[in-house]
Amino acid sequence: PRRVRQANLAPQLREESTGENAAPEEQAPPRAERSPEEMRSMMSSIQRGTRRGRTESTIEFDEGS
């Protein structure tokens, strides 16, 4: 069997080089640049939330047995 690119995608998601569904790159919204401090803060929040979730699930699991 040979792979056919985008054969299983919905028609709206397929890349088309021409047509009304084509979206030129200049129409894409600009991404906001984040400072290293903002990124550190975001990643720290994710890490804290992950740790808290793991701790809480362990406590609930221990209490249930």
Side-chain angles (χ1 to χ4, degrees):
R2 292 215 154 215
R3 180 177 183 270
V4 178
R5 290 187 70 141
Q6 302 181 1
N8 295 322
L9 286 178
Q12 302 89 334
L13 300 177
R14 291 188 183 146
E15 292 178 4
E16 296 181 17
S17 58
T18 60
E20 60 186 47
N21 289 340
E25 287 186 29
E26 59 264 8
Q27 289 182 356
R31 294 183 73 176
E33 292 294 320
R34 291 188 174 96
S35 70
E37 291 79 18
E38 287 176 307
M39 287 302 297
R40 183 188 58 196
S41 176
M42 285 177 26
M43 296 305 290
S44 295
S45 295
I46 292 170
Q47 189 175 24
R48 279 192 306 271
T50 303
R51 280 188 190 148
R52 189 176 78 206
R54 287 180 180 162
T55 302
E56 289 176 2
S57 71
T58 303
I59 291 170
E60 290 175 10
F61 183 73
D62 290 340
E63 290 175 355
S65 46

